Amino acid sequence: MTLHKITTYCNDAKLALSLLSRTPISVEDGAYQRAAKAVWAYGLVGVVWGALVWAVGLCAVALNIPDGLAALIALGSGLIFTGALHEDGLADCADGLWGANEKQRRLEIMKDSQIGSYGTLALVVSVLLRWQLIKELMLAEFAFAGLIMTAVLARASMPLLMVYLPHARSSGLSHSVGRPQPKHALIGVGIAAVIALSFAGLIGLAALLCAGCAALLCSTIAQRKVSGQTGDILGATEQVSEIFVLLAIVALLP
């Protein structure tokens, strides 16, 4: 592998980190021209997220903070890291997809910065579920592997929708990134699969399958409701995938 390729891959990883988090990281001039190609690195952002949440939770437990509160603090650090980017997408989708009967009106609601009852309930359910599941991972001493697997698989699922669903609107974050080629999305899925299988074997395989089911479910709903995907759809997919994967891991732990 040439030095030029290594530099390109490193820049892709930095670009993915800048897009999916609030990390104050600078990217090379013209890096955003490779935004569609850099989707393979989305899962790598999950490694950073998972390691951060695990470390914060570990520190909280070391300070004799109760497990439930430690899990909540750990999850909160993850929300700060991403700027609640994916949670925002989940809330917008809940309001838009179930708040209107016409495609155009659904897209208008999703773009509205105000949050409605569907969005509020979706956020409450998502945070409560992940909080309890993360606590179970901590109690089972499987937090490090479980959190990284969850974050990597959830983020690697987003590019699949970017590839196989058209853009639902002609603007927005997803549209600005562009439509990736299948190979770039599949490379990301392959990396995520290797990480999951390396960490947990059969549990990792089950987590991989659950992430795939979550992505399929979200893509089917998006296609039916708005005939494509948006940045909000991708964020909601990440959230649903996190929940599916966490449920699988916790259910299969000894």
Side-chain angles (χ1 to χ4, degrees):
M1 184 179 296
T2 65
L3 180 60
H4 175 70
K5 286 187 176 181
I6 293 175
T7 302
T8 299
Y9 294 148
C10 289
N11 288 336
D12 284 350
K14 290 168 61 178
L15 177 58
L17 187 61
S18 72
L19 287 172
L20 301 184
S21 77
R22 290 296 181 263
T23 306
I25 186 172
S26 61
V27 297
E28 302 295 327
D29 292 337
Y32 286 98
Q33 295 177 2
R34 281 187 56 85
K37 297 179 179 179
V39 297
W40 68 267
Y42 281 9
L44 298 182
V45 180
V47 175
V48 182
W49 186 93
L52 171 67
V53 174
W54 167 78
V56 171
L58 185 66
C59 291
V61 171
L63 293 173
N64 292 322
I65 294 176
D67 292 322
L69 184 55
L72 185 59
I73 293 172
L75 178 58
S77 70
L79 296 178
I80 294 172
F81 174 75
T82 62
L85 176 68
H86 308 304
E87 285 77 9
D88 180 70
L90 176 67
D92 286 343
C93 283
D95 280 333
L97 299 185
W98 280 272
N101 294 321
E102 297 179 356
K103 170 188 170 181
Q104 194 57 41
R105 179 55 184 156
R106 288 169 179 158
L107 290 172
E108 290 174 359
I109 294 174
M110 288 166 64
K111 195 173 182 180
D112 192 339
S113 59
Q114 296 183 347
I115 186 171
S117 56
Y118 287 121
T120 301
L121 290 171
L123 286 178
V124 170
V125 171
S126 173
V127 171
L128 285 178
L129 275 175
R130 288 181 293 150
W131 167 41
Q132 288 297 310
L133 292 168
I134 290 173
K135 184 180 76 171
E136 293 299 320
L137 290 182
M138 293 172 62
L139 291 172
E141 297 184 354
F142 197 73
F144 181 73
L147 286 169
I148 288 182
M149 278 197 304
T150 298
V152 169
L153 289 171
R155 284 158 179 77
S157 66
M158 293 190 293
L160 292 176
L161 272 70
M162 297 171 71
V163 169
Y164 295 108
L165 288 181
H167 294 291
R169 61 164 62 101
S170 59
S171 61
L173 179 59
S174 177
H175 188 273
S176 67
V177 170
R179 196 165 184 178
Q181 296 180 14
K183 65 178 181 180
H184 296 121
L186 293 177
I187 288 173
V189 172
I191 293 173
V194 169
I195 291 174
L197 295 174
S198 299
F199 270 123
L202 291 178
I203 293 179
L205 178 60
L208 177 63
L209 294 175
C210 284
C213 290
L216 180 61
L217 173 64
C218 291
S219 65
T220 301
I221 294 173
Q223 180 65 39
R224 185 169 299 175
K225 294 281 190 177
V226 293
S227 304
Q229 52 87 9
T230 67
D232 288 330
I233 295 291
L234 300 181
T237 300
E238 192 280 336
Q239 292 281 283
V240 174
S241 298
E242 271 194 26
I243 293 171
F244 273 45
V245 172
L246 283 170
L247 284 169
I249 294 173
V250 170
L252 293 174
L253 283 176

